[in-house]
């Protein structure tokens, strides 16, 4: 997809704040320091649409980005790493669960994992939560530029085994640096629209 027009519609915490339209939505989920913002910026061909922070856990709301008046990316708070209180983390969990399980325009969740590491228990829990609720998942294995190409296949195999990956789901080897995987990711997103 050629991206010229992107607009941050709203940063929401409650369903009544969500955009009212019916554009297809794709939520972006991943650990706090996995490179979600870099993925969004590469996909949208923007340097700083989503703010990249050196402090993981910066996203504390559901950020709705309208793309080309055709679809919406929803950046959700990162899980796992953020140094936040248990009560705050529980609030985020409820906010994300409410959005993901009760939002008709949601077409798929784009789950971002770090290709350099085996998926964490939080990654596994998120994937299983999505499968349990019959939510389509597109797994983006990012930071491929940080490991030798010869290790990619082994890394993807480990991700699939750890997540107990469903063969019906898609997995994309991705690099925010080089743009590898961007076109493939867009093809899958467009198919689900």
């Amino acid at each position: 997809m050629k991206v010229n027009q992107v607009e941050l519609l709203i940063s929401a915490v409650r369903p009544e704040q969500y955009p009212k339209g019916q554009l297809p939505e794709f939520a972006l989920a991943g650990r706090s320091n996995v490179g979600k913002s870099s993925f969004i910026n590469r996909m949208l061909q923007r340097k700083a649409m989503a703010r990249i922070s050196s402090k993981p856990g910066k996203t504390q709301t559901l950020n709705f980005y309208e793309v080309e008046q055709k679809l919406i990316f929803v950046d959700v708070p990162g899980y796992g790493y953020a140094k936040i209180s248990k009560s705050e983390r529980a609030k985020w969990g409820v906010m994300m669960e409410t959005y993901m399980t009760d939002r008709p325009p949601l077409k798929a969740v784009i789950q971002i994992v770090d290709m350099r590491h085996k998926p964490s228990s939080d990654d596994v829990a998120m994937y299983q939560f999505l499968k349990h609720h019959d939510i389509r998942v597109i797994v983006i294995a990012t930071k491929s530029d940080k490991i030798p190409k010869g290790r990619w296949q082994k890394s993807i195999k480990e991700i699939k085994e750890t997540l107990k990956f469903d063969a019906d789901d898609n997995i994309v080897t991705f690099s925010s640096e080089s743009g590898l995987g961007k076109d493939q990711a867009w093809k899958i997103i467009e198919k689900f629209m």
Side-chain angles (χ1 to χ4, degrees):
M1 181 182 289
K2 216 84 200 87
V3 179
N4 298 306
Q5 204 183 347
V6 183
E7 180 189 355
L8 175 61
L9 293 178
I10 191 163
S11 295
V13 291
R14 292 184 304 283
E16 57 271 22
Q17 297 171 319
Y18 301 165
K20 297 291 177 266
Q22 288 302 304
L23 288 177
E25 292 176 2
F26 294 85
L28 296 121
R31 282 198 329 270
S32 295
N33 56 347
V34 78
K36 254 185 326 132
S37 298
S38 299
F39 171 80
I40 293 169
N41 291 335
R42 172 54 84 168
M43 291 295 284
L44 301 181
Q45 296 162 294
R46 297 292 186 279
K47 285 250 185 302
M49 191 72 211
R51 285 199 297 281
I52 296 166
S53 170
S54 58
K55 271 204 206 113
K58 267 301 199 219
T59 303
Q60 299 184 10
T61 53
L62 302 172
N63 297 325
F64 290 77
Y65 297 95
E66 186 178 278
V67 183
E68 291 295 314
Q69 298 175 334
K70 289 182 182 166
L71 73 141
I72 294 174
F73 273 170
V74 185
D75 188 12
V76 307
Y79 52 79
Y81 180 87
K83 292 184 171 95
I84 53 166
S85 69
K86 274 203 165 93
S87 64
E88 194 64 27
R89 189 169 300 161
K91 266 199 298 211
W92 289 5
V94 170
M95 176 175 69
M96 286 163 59
E97 188 171 335
T98 301
Y99 169 74
M100 288 179 183
T101 58
D102 200 26
R103 181 71 175 153
L106 181 66
K107 299 299 177 200
V109 171
I110 298 168
Q111 183 177 9
I112 300 175
V113 297
D114 187 332
M115 207 166 154
R116 300 171 301 175
H117 310 291
K118 186 176 165 177
S120 70
S121 57
D122 288 320
D123 291 324
V124 173
M126 174 56 83
Y127 185 78
Q128 288 174 350
F129 165 83
L130 297 168
K131 297 311 295 178
H132 174 77
H133 289 284
D134 290 323
I135 299 167
R136 281 190 185 128
V137 189
I138 304 164
V139 174
I140 300 293
T142 193
K143 304 190 182 187
S144 64
D145 52 285
K146 305 270 194 273
I147 60 171
K149 201 171 181 177
R151 271 192 43 215
W152 288 2
Q153 216 171 351
K154 184 174 176 255
S155 182
I156 293 294
K157 185 174 182 274
E158 184 177 55
I159 290 167
K160 286 179 169 181
E161 283 171 0
T162 307
L163 294 178
K164 295 185 176 49
F165 193 73
D166 182 335
D168 291 339
D169 289 333
N170 295 274
I171 188 164
V172 178
T173 302
F174 195 87
S175 166
S176 298
E177 289 291 311
S178 69
L180 173 87
K182 186 180 104 173
D183 293 343
Q184 188 189 355
W186 271 124
K187 273 196 189 92
I188 297 164
I189 289 166
E190 285 167 353
K191 187 177 78 181
F192 289 160
M193 281 167 64

